mmCIF file of all heavy atoms in Angstrom:
data_model
loop_
_atom_site.group_PDB
_atom_site.id
_atom_site.type_symbol
_atom_site.label_atom_id
_atom_site.label_comp_id
_atom_site.label_asym_id
_atom_site.label_seq_id
_atom_site.Cartn_x
_atom_site.Cartn_y
_atom_site.Cartn_z
ATOM 1 N N TYR A 1 -5.775 -7.544 -2.513
ATOM 2 C CA TYR A 1 -6.905 -8.409 -2.854
ATOM 3 C C TYR A 1 -6.598 -9.804 -2.326
ATOM 4 O O TYR A 1 -6.033 -10.653 -3.064
ATOM 5 C CB TYR A 1 -7.117 -8.439 -4.368
ATOM 6 C CG TYR A 1 -7.680 -7.139 -4.930
ATOM 7 C CD1 TYR A 1 -6.807 -6.102 -5.209
ATOM 8 C CD2 TYR A 1 -9.040 -6.964 -5.157
ATOM 9 C CE1 TYR A 1 -7.255 -4.900 -5.769
ATOM 10 C CE2 TYR A 1 -9.495 -5.786 -5.688
ATOM 11 C CZ TYR A 1 -8.637 -4.728 -6.020
ATOM 12 O OH TYR A 1 -9.083 -3.577 -6.514
ATOM 13 N N PRO A 2 -6.948 -10.122 -1.055
ATOM 14 C CA PRO A 2 -6.563 -11.403 -0.472
ATOM 15 C C PRO A 2 -7.049 -12.635 -1.211
ATOM 16 O O PRO A 2 -6.404 -13.675 -1.144
ATOM 17 C CB PRO A 2 -7.156 -11.321 0.933
ATOM 18 C CG PRO A 2 -7.431 -9.855 1.165
ATOM 19 C CD PRO A 2 -7.710 -9.284 -0.154
ATOM 20 N N ALA A 3 -8.169 -12.544 -1.892
ATOM 21 C CA ALA A 3 -8.760 -13.718 -2.548
ATOM 22 C C ALA A 3 -8.188 -13.932 -3.967
ATOM 23 O O ALA A 3 -8.436 -14.930 -4.576
ATOM 24 C CB ALA A 3 -10.271 -13.534 -2.665
ATOM 25 N N ASP A 4 -7.343 -12.959 -4.460
ATOM 26 C CA ASP A 4 -6.798 -13.132 -5.791
ATOM 27 C C ASP A 4 -5.509 -13.911 -5.766
ATOM 28 O O ASP A 4 -4.780 -13.933 -4.765
ATOM 29 C CB ASP A 4 -6.520 -11.682 -6.385
ATOM 30 C CG ASP A 4 -7.783 -11.045 -6.817
ATOM 31 O OD1 ASP A 4 -8.909 -11.487 -6.458
ATOM 32 O OD2 ASP A 4 -7.685 -9.998 -7.482
ATOM 33 N N PRO A 5 -5.127 -14.546 -6.913
ATOM 34 C CA PRO A 5 -3.842 -15.286 -6.947
ATOM 35 C C PRO A 5 -2.647 -14.359 -6.639
ATOM 36 O O PRO A 5 -1.674 -14.775 -6.021
ATOM 37 C CB PRO A 5 -3.805 -15.818 -8.405
ATOM 38 C CG PRO A 5 -5.236 -15.877 -8.827
ATOM 39 C CD PRO A 5 -5.916 -14.719 -8.122
ATOM 40 N N LYS A 6 -2.717 -13.140 -7.137
ATOM 41 C CA LYS A 6 -1.729 -12.144 -6.857
ATOM 42 C C LYS A 6 -2.364 -11.004 -6.072
ATOM 43 O O LYS A 6 -2.936 -10.100 -6.655
ATOM 44 C CB LYS A 6 -1.079 -11.592 -8.164
ATOM 45 C CG LYS A 6 -0.235 -12.656 -8.921
ATOM 46 C CD LYS A 6 0.434 -12.008 -10.133
ATOM 47 C CE LYS A 6 1.301 -13.029 -10.839
ATOM 48 N NZ LYS A 6 1.969 -12.445 -12.009
ATOM 49 N N PRO A 7 -2.290 -11.042 -4.776
ATOM 50 C CA PRO A 7 -3.031 -10.102 -3.934
ATOM 51 C C PRO A 7 -2.569 -8.619 -4.144
ATOM 52 O O PRO A 7 -3.396 -7.709 -3.956
ATOM 53 C CB PRO A 7 -2.714 -10.523 -2.503
ATOM 54 C CG PRO A 7 -2.349 -11.956 -2.651
ATOM 55 C CD PRO A 7 -1.641 -12.073 -3.924
ATOM 56 N N LEU A 8 -1.318 -8.429 -4.499
ATOM 57 C CA LEU A 8 -0.789 -7.062 -4.660
ATOM 58 C C LEU A 8 -0.310 -6.843 -6.066
ATOM 59 O O LEU A 8 0.509 -7.609 -6.578
ATOM 60 C CB LEU A 8 0.340 -6.810 -3.639
ATOM 61 C CG LEU A 8 0.965 -5.429 -3.591
ATOM 62 C CD1 LEU A 8 -0.053 -4.408 -3.247
ATOM 63 C CD2 LEU A 8 2.136 -5.383 -2.612
ATOM 64 N N ASP A 9 -0.808 -5.750 -6.628
ATOM 65 C CA ASP A 9 -0.326 -5.344 -7.990
ATOM 66 C C ASP A 9 0.938 -4.549 -7.814
ATOM 67 O O ASP A 9 0.850 -3.337 -7.568
ATOM 68 C CB ASP A 9 -1.445 -4.527 -8.676
ATOM 69 C CG ASP A 9 -1.108 -4.130 -10.079
ATOM 70 O OD1 ASP A 9 0.110 -4.139 -10.459
ATOM 71 O OD2 ASP A 9 -2.037 -3.752 -10.826
ATOM 72 N N TYR A 10 2.076 -5.142 -7.929
ATOM 73 C CA TYR A 10 3.342 -4.464 -7.593
ATOM 74 C C TYR A 10 3.671 -3.323 -8.532
ATOM 75 O O TYR A 10 4.179 -2.279 -8.105
ATOM 76 C CB TYR A 10 4.483 -5.498 -7.569
ATOM 77 C CG TYR A 10 4.524 -6.265 -6.259
ATOM 78 C CD1 TYR A 10 3.915 -7.494 -6.108
ATOM 79 C CD2 TYR A 10 5.127 -5.690 -5.143
ATOM 80 C CE1 TYR A 10 3.909 -8.181 -4.921
ATOM 81 C CE2 TYR A 10 5.141 -6.379 -3.908
ATOM 82 C CZ TYR A 10 4.531 -7.596 -3.814
ATOM 83 O OH TYR A 10 4.536 -8.268 -2.617
ATOM 84 N N PRO A 11 3.425 -3.405 -9.852
ATOM 85 C CA PRO A 11 3.668 -2.207 -10.708
ATOM 86 C C PRO A 11 2.869 -0.996 -10.278
ATOM 87 O O PRO A 11 3.344 0.145 -10.227
ATOM 88 C CB PRO A 11 3.292 -2.695 -12.110
ATOM 89 C CG PRO A 11 3.505 -4.160 -12.061
ATOM 90 C CD PRO A 11 3.077 -4.597 -10.687
ATOM 91 N N ARG A 12 1.578 -1.197 -9.938
ATOM 92 C CA ARG A 12 0.736 -0.096 -9.454
ATOM 93 C C ARG A 12 1.231 0.428 -8.139
ATOM 94 O O ARG A 12 1.243 1.642 -7.866
ATOM 95 C CB ARG A 12 -0.715 -0.590 -9.348
ATOM 96 C CG ARG A 12 -1.756 0.492 -9.076
ATOM 97 C CD ARG A 12 -3.135 -0.025 -9.067
ATOM 98 N NE ARG A 12 -4.107 0.996 -8.963
ATOM 99 C CZ ARG A 12 -5.429 0.769 -8.863
ATOM 100 N NH1 ARG A 12 -5.873 -0.481 -8.885
ATOM 101 N NH2 ARG A 12 -6.279 1.744 -8.786
ATOM 102 N N TYR A 13 1.627 -0.515 -7.236
ATOM 103 C CA TYR A 13 2.169 -0.126 -5.959
ATOM 104 C C TYR A 13 3.428 0.726 -6.143
ATOM 105 O O TYR A 13 3.629 1.758 -5.474
ATOM 106 C CB TYR A 13 2.479 -1.368 -5.180
ATOM 107 C CG TYR A 13 3.449 -1.268 -4.000
ATOM 108 C CD1 TYR A 13 3.069 -0.529 -2.852
ATOM 109 C CD2 TYR A 13 4.704 -1.827 -4.070
ATOM 110 C CE1 TYR A 13 3.938 -0.459 -1.770
ATOM 111 C CE2 TYR A 13 5.583 -1.754 -3.002
ATOM 112 C CZ TYR A 13 5.186 -1.029 -1.855
ATOM 113 O OH TYR A 13 6.035 -0.933 -0.800
ATOM 114 N N ALA A 14 4.327 0.305 -7.083
ATOM 115 C CA ALA A 14 5.538 1.049 -7.330
ATOM 116 C C ALA A 14 5.275 2.430 -7.879
ATOM 117 O O ALA A 14 5.949 3.446 -7.563
ATOM 118 C CB ALA A 14 6.456 0.262 -8.317
ATOM 119 N N ASP A 15 4.232 2.533 -8.739
ATOM 120 C CA ASP A 15 3.875 3.846 -9.295
ATOM 121 C C ASP A 15 3.420 4.808 -8.200
ATOM 122 O O ASP A 15 3.781 6.002 -8.224
ATOM 123 C CB ASP A 15 2.740 3.694 -10.306
ATOM 124 C CG ASP A 15 3.199 3.078 -11.633
ATOM 125 O OD1 ASP A 15 4.430 3.129 -11.894
ATOM 126 O OD2 ASP A 15 2.356 2.552 -12.367
ATOM 127 N N ARG A 16 2.694 4.326 -7.203
ATOM 128 C CA ARG A 16 2.248 5.235 -6.141
ATOM 129 C C ARG A 16 3.417 5.666 -5.277
ATOM 130 O O ARG A 16 3.450 6.822 -4.830
ATOM 131 C CB ARG A 16 1.167 4.504 -5.266
ATOM 132 C CG ARG A 16 -0.142 4.382 -5.988
ATOM 133 C CD ARG A 16 -1.202 3.716 -5.160
ATOM 134 N NE ARG A 16 -2.461 3.515 -5.920
ATOM 135 C CZ ARG A 16 -3.516 2.878 -5.493
ATOM 136 N NH1 ARG A 16 -3.498 2.322 -4.250
ATOM 137 N NH2 ARG A 16 -4.605 2.799 -6.245
ATOM 138 N N LEU A 17 4.373 4.789 -5.029
ATOM 139 C CA LEU A 17 5.585 5.187 -4.286
ATOM 140 C C LEU A 17 6.349 6.220 -5.079
ATOM 141 O O LEU A 17 6.842 7.231 -4.490
ATOM 142 C CB LEU A 17 6.488 3.982 -4.030
ATOM 143 C CG LEU A 17 6.051 2.995 -2.950
ATOM 144 C CD1 LEU A 17 6.978 1.807 -2.932
ATOM 145 C CD2 LEU A 17 5.980 3.629 -1.587
ATOM 146 N N LYS A 18 6.433 6.068 -6.396
ATOM 147 C CA LYS A 18 7.170 7.006 -7.240
ATOM 148 C C LYS A 18 6.421 8.352 -7.292
ATOM 149 O O LYS A 18 7.063 9.419 -7.216
ATOM 150 C CB LYS A 18 7.296 6.455 -8.656
ATOM 151 C CG LYS A 18 8.080 7.366 -9.610
ATOM 152 C CD LYS A 18 8.205 6.680 -10.968
ATOM 153 C CE LYS A 18 8.962 7.575 -11.930
ATOM 154 N NZ LYS A 18 9.083 6.942 -13.275
ATOM 155 N N ASP A 19 5.077 8.338 -7.398
ATOM 156 C CA ASP A 19 4.330 9.531 -7.563
ATOM 157 C C ASP A 19 4.192 10.320 -6.224
ATOM 158 O O ASP A 19 4.190 11.576 -6.252
ATOM 159 C CB ASP A 19 2.893 9.258 -8.051
ATOM 160 C CG ASP A 19 2.919 8.715 -9.494
ATOM 161 O OD1 ASP A 19 3.932 8.973 -10.200
ATOM 162 O OD2 ASP A 19 1.961 8.099 -9.893
ATOM 163 N N PHE A 20 4.082 9.606 -5.089
ATOM 164 C CA PHE A 20 3.728 10.299 -3.842
ATOM 165 C C PHE A 20 4.798 10.190 -2.754
ATOM 166 O O PHE A 20 4.649 10.775 -1.716
ATOM 167 C CB PHE A 20 2.414 9.735 -3.318
ATOM 168 C CG PHE A 20 1.276 9.858 -4.287
ATOM 169 C CD1 PHE A 20 0.688 8.753 -4.898
ATOM 170 C CD2 PHE A 20 0.762 11.094 -4.586
ATOM 171 C CE1 PHE A 20 -0.334 8.866 -5.761
ATOM 172 C CE2 PHE A 20 -0.326 11.218 -5.473
ATOM 173 C CZ PHE A 20 -0.862 10.107 -6.101
ATOM 174 N N GLY A 21 5.896 9.451 -3.024
ATOM 175 C CA GLY A 21 6.898 9.312 -2.022
ATOM 176 C C GLY A 21 6.539 8.305 -0.934
ATOM 177 O O GLY A 21 5.448 7.751 -0.931
ATOM 178 N N THR A 22 7.487 8.040 -0.037
ATOM 179 C CA THR A 22 7.274 7.058 1.006
ATOM 180 C C THR A 22 6.962 7.790 2.340
ATOM 181 O O THR A 22 7.766 8.502 2.856
ATOM 182 C CB THR A 22 8.537 6.220 1.196
ATOM 183 O OG1 THR A 22 8.844 5.558 -0.028
ATOM 184 C CG2 THR A 22 8.403 5.156 2.326
ATOM 185 N N ALA A 23 5.754 7.514 2.821
ATOM 186 C CA ALA A 23 5.337 8.090 4.108
ATOM 187 C C ALA A 23 5.782 7.260 5.295
ATOM 188 O O ALA A 23 6.107 7.800 6.355
ATOM 189 C CB ALA A 23 3.785 8.240 4.147
ATOM 190 N N ILE A 24 5.774 5.969 5.156
ATOM 191 C CA ILE A 24 6.209 5.047 6.227
ATOM 192 C C ILE A 24 7.188 4.005 5.579
ATOM 193 O O ILE A 24 6.761 3.342 4.581
ATOM 194 C CB ILE A 24 5.018 4.317 6.876
ATOM 195 C CG1 ILE A 24 3.956 5.313 7.272
ATOM 196 C CG2 ILE A 24 5.512 3.534 8.102
ATOM 197 C CD1 ILE A 24 2.641 4.621 7.716
ATOM 198 N N ARG A 25 8.352 3.916 6.104
ATOM 199 C CA ARG A 25 9.368 2.993 5.502
ATOM 200 C C ARG A 25 9.185 1.585 6.061
ATOM 201 O O ARG A 25 8.688 1.379 7.136
ATOM 202 C CB ARG A 25 10.768 3.503 5.795
ATOM 203 C CG ARG A 25 11.113 4.810 5.071
ATOM 204 C CD ARG A 25 12.467 5.286 5.430
ATOM 205 N NE ARG A 25 12.877 6.462 4.638
ATOM 206 C CZ ARG A 25 12.495 7.710 4.971
ATOM 207 N NH1 ARG A 25 11.758 7.914 6.030
ATOM 208 N NH2 ARG A 25 12.860 8.717 4.180
ATOM 209 N N ALA A 26 9.685 0.650 5.263
ATOM 210 C CA ALA A 26 9.708 -0.765 5.738
ATOM 211 C C ALA A 26 10.540 -0.831 7.016
ATOM 212 O O ALA A 26 11.615 -0.294 7.068
ATOM 213 C CB ALA A 26 10.262 -1.659 4.663
ATOM 214 N N GLY A 27 10.036 -1.545 8.018
ATOM 215 C CA GLY A 27 10.701 -1.665 9.278
ATOM 216 C C GLY A 27 10.298 -0.656 10.307
ATOM 217 O O GLY A 27 10.611 -0.792 11.491
ATOM 218 N N GLU A 28 9.591 0.394 9.896
ATOM 219 C CA GLU A 28 9.095 1.420 10.810
ATOM 220 C C GLU A 28 7.768 1.014 11.443
ATOM 221 O O GLU A 28 7.020 0.245 10.845
ATOM 222 C CB GLU A 28 8.938 2.763 10.124
ATOM 223 C CG GLU A 28 10.224 3.413 9.744
ATOM 224 C CD GLU A 28 10.015 4.816 9.166
ATOM 225 O OE1 GLU A 28 8.884 5.141 8.733
ATOM 226 O OE2 GLU A 28 10.992 5.592 9.117
ATOM 227 N N SER A 29 7.529 1.533 12.642
ATOM 228 C CA SER A 29 6.212 1.308 13.317
ATOM 229 C C SER A 29 5.256 2.374 12.932
ATOM 230 O O SER A 29 5.640 3.514 12.614
ATOM 231 C CB SER A 29 6.420 1.274 14.818
ATOM 232 O OG SER A 29 7.179 0.145 15.214
ATOM 233 N N ALA A 30 4.004 2.028 12.947
ATOM 234 C CA ALA A 30 2.932 3.004 12.594
ATOM 235 C C ALA A 30 1.757 2.709 13.526
ATOM 236 O O ALA A 30 1.453 1.532 13.816
ATOM 237 C CB ALA A 30 2.549 2.973 11.171
ATOM 238 N N MET A 31 1.000 3.709 13.914
ATOM 239 C CA MET A 31 -0.192 3.531 14.688
ATOM 240 C C MET A 31 -1.410 3.338 13.778
ATOM 241 O O MET A 31 -1.567 3.989 12.773
ATOM 242 C CB MET A 31 -0.449 4.759 15.592
ATOM 243 C CG MET A 31 -1.630 4.628 16.502
ATOM 244 S SD MET A 31 -1.903 6.155 17.511
ATOM 245 C CE MET A 31 -0.504 5.994 18.610
ATOM 246 N N ILE A 32 -2.241 2.395 14.169
ATOM 247 C CA ILE A 32 -3.541 2.165 13.461
ATOM 248 C C ILE A 32 -4.522 3.252 13.965
ATOM 249 O O ILE A 32 -4.949 3.199 15.122
ATOM 250 C CB ILE A 32 -4.078 0.776 13.758
ATOM 251 C CG1 ILE A 32 -3.009 -0.302 13.425
ATOM 252 C CG2 ILE A 32 -5.340 0.515 12.945
ATOM 253 C CD1 ILE A 32 -3.364 -1.670 13.963
ATOM 254 N N THR A 33 -4.800 4.191 13.106
ATOM 255 C CA THR A 33 -5.618 5.336 13.538
ATOM 256 C C THR A 33 -7.076 5.223 13.165
ATOM 257 O O THR A 33 -7.916 5.925 13.722
ATOM 258 C CB THR A 33 -5.030 6.652 12.969
ATOM 259 O OG1 THR A 33 -4.824 6.476 11.601
ATOM 260 C CG2 THR A 33 -3.710 6.981 13.651
ATOM 261 N N LYS A 34 -7.381 4.337 12.203
ATOM 262 C CA LYS A 34 -8.810 4.215 11.840
ATOM 263 C C LYS A 34 -9.045 2.963 11.097
ATOM 264 O O LYS A 34 -8.234 2.541 10.227
ATOM 265 C CB LYS A 34 -9.318 5.416 11.021
ATOM 266 C CG LYS A 34 -10.846 5.353 10.722
ATOM 267 C CD LYS A 34 -11.285 6.554 9.929
ATOM 268 C CE LYS A 34 -11.365 7.792 10.771
ATOM 269 N NZ LYS A 34 -11.995 8.940 10.069
ATOM 270 N N ILE A 35 -10.163 2.275 11.381
ATOM 271 C CA ILE A 35 -10.644 1.142 10.614
ATOM 272 C C ILE A 35 -12.069 1.554 10.102
ATOM 273 O O ILE A 35 -12.903 1.968 10.818
ATOM 274 C CB ILE A 35 -10.791 -0.116 11.493
ATOM 275 C CG1 ILE A 35 -9.463 -0.548 12.071
ATOM 276 C CG2 ILE A 35 -11.440 -1.294 10.702
ATOM 277 C CD1 ILE A 35 -8.458 -1.094 11.075
ATOM 278 N N ARG A 36 -12.212 1.353 8.793
ATOM 279 C CA ARG A 36 -13.533 1.621 8.191
ATOM 280 C C ARG A 36 -13.946 0.426 7.311
ATOM 281 O O ARG A 36 -13.173 -0.016 6.472
ATOM 282 C CB ARG A 36 -13.478 2.900 7.381
ATOM 283 C CG ARG A 36 -13.231 4.158 8.153
ATOM 284 C CD ARG A 36 -13.331 5.396 7.325
ATOM 285 N NE ARG A 36 -14.670 5.649 6.894
ATOM 286 C CZ ARG A 36 -15.048 6.688 6.096
ATOM 287 N NH1 ARG A 36 -14.159 7.501 5.630
ATOM 288 N NH2 ARG A 36 -16.308 6.803 5.763
ATOM 289 N N VAL A 37 -15.171 0.024 7.481
ATOM 290 C CA VAL A 37 -15.721 -1.087 6.686
ATOM 291 C C VAL A 37 -16.621 -0.529 5.613
ATOM 292 O O VAL A 37 -17.589 0.188 5.903
ATOM 293 C CB VAL A 37 -16.494 -2.072 7.577
ATOM 294 C CG1 VAL A 37 -17.125 -3.157 6.700
ATOM 295 C CG2 VAL A 37 -15.531 -2.703 8.582
#
């Protein structure tokens, strides 16, 4: 949420990593495969 004082909810983010695992690690490259508005 770029307009919020805290753009990223870190506890919620951590829960998703815990529940679903890490698909792309920090430092790894990834291809931008789709943009949707």
Side-chain angles (χ1 to χ4, degrees):
Y1 290 83
D4 286 11
K6 293 184 178 180
L8 182 61
D9 183 341
Y10 279 95
R12 188 176 186 183
Y13 162 70
D15 286 342
R16 288 182 183 173
L17 286 174
K18 181 179 178 180
D19 292 340
F20 303 110
T22 300
I24 310 170
R25 293 178 175 82
E28 289 185 341
S29 292
M31 182 182 289
I32 305 167
T33 50
K34 184 179 285 188
I35 299 289
R36 296 186 67 182
V37 175

